[in-house]
Amino acid sequence: TFMVSSQSKKFFEDSTVKIGSQFPIFHIADPDAHENGGQIFANVSTSIGYFEFPDRTYLNGLAANLTNLKKTIVFRGVPSKINAALYQMKLVLPRDWSGEGFLTAKCNDLGSHGYDVVKNANFLEDSKIIKFTVTPVNDPPTVIVGVNNSIFMKEDENLTMKGLISFHDDDSSDFD
């Protein structure tokens, strides 16, 4: 079972979301999967951005695979190790993107009754969809001046400004 603390979260544009502290929603529990035996299958996918693991030591003892351009992480292992890995996982959102997205979390007990996988057993599954909203942030405009922010000219010469100075604002299509 995926236990979820909140069904909706909010973040700011240009953030990297640490699942364990900023998005503490995932916790897998299976009363039949005892620590010395029962493995489960779990996957988490995102509609926007990608996942990364800054500390891969939390993946030790797990079969883990990032797929679909790092938009999906697939685990197989005991729940405590999967939970530890989920706690370290980060969701990296695209630069200057705002809007709504969602995470989909699924788990399957692989037919485990707690000690091993029962052949031809009925698998028990759970899934959750967690929506999130990314709020835009007012980014500062920038002034771009020549190469290395310098313009050199000789005394008594005319200076042509075209292409030497430009303005840019990530939040506006009116500039550039």
Side-chain angles (χ1 to χ4, degrees):
T1 302
F2 265 108
M3 291 188 270
V4 178
S5 65
S6 174
Q7 292 288 58
S8 182
K9 293 287 184 179
K10 291 186 180 188
F11 306 105
F12 290 107
E13 169 188 314
D14 300 334
S15 29
T16 297
V17 180
K18 188 170 180 186
I19 299 294
S21 60
Q22 292 171 295
F23 215 149
I25 57 166
F26 295 116
H27 183 79
I28 298 172
D30 185 348
D32 295 331
H34 300 287
E35 292 303 313
N36 60 354
Q39 293 193 357
I40 64 168
F41 169 84
N43 73 53
V44 180
S45 60
T46 180
S47 63
I48 189 75
Y50 62 92
F51 297 119
E52 64 179 29
F53 285 89
D55 184 354
R56 293 188 170 269
T57 59
Y58 286 92
L59 299 177
N60 291 342
L62 290 174
N65 189 21
L66 277 168
T67 62
N68 190 23
L69 300 175
K70 297 185 179 181
K71 290 182 171 291
T72 302
I73 180 74
V74 179
F75 298 105
R76 182 177 175 143
V78 295
S80 63
K81 289 191 180 272
I82 294 174
N83 286 330
L86 287 171
Y87 190 82
Q88 295 301 316
M89 187 167 71
K90 290 186 177 185
L91 172 62
V92 180
L93 298 170
R95 181 169 157 63
D96 296 320
W97 181 84
S98 60
E100 292 190 359
F102 60 90
L103 298 178
T104 303
K106 298 177 183 178
C107 63
N108 177 317
D109 72 356
L110 302 173
S112 174
H113 59 75
Y115 299 100
D116 57 12
V117 175
V118 179
K119 293 183 179 182
N120 302 319
N122 292 328
F123 298 148
L124 298 177
E125 298 179 327
D126 189 21
S127 65
K128 300 281 190 274
I129 296 176
I130 300 95
K131 295 178 183 178
F132 61 89
T133 303
V134 178
T135 305
V137 180
N138 187 10
D139 297 313
T142 55
V143 177
I144 303 163
V145 180
V147 179
N148 297 325
N149 291 329
S150 301
I151 299 173
F152 297 98
M153 61 181 285
K154 294 181 181 175
E155 181 180 352
D156 298 328
E157 283 189 359
N158 292 331
L159 176 64
T160 302
M161 296 297 290
K162 184 176 180 182
L164 291 178
I165 299 175
S166 63
F167 302 92
H168 179 75
D169 186 346
D170 288 336
D171 297 323
S172 175
S173 59
D174 294 339
F175 282 109
D176 284 338

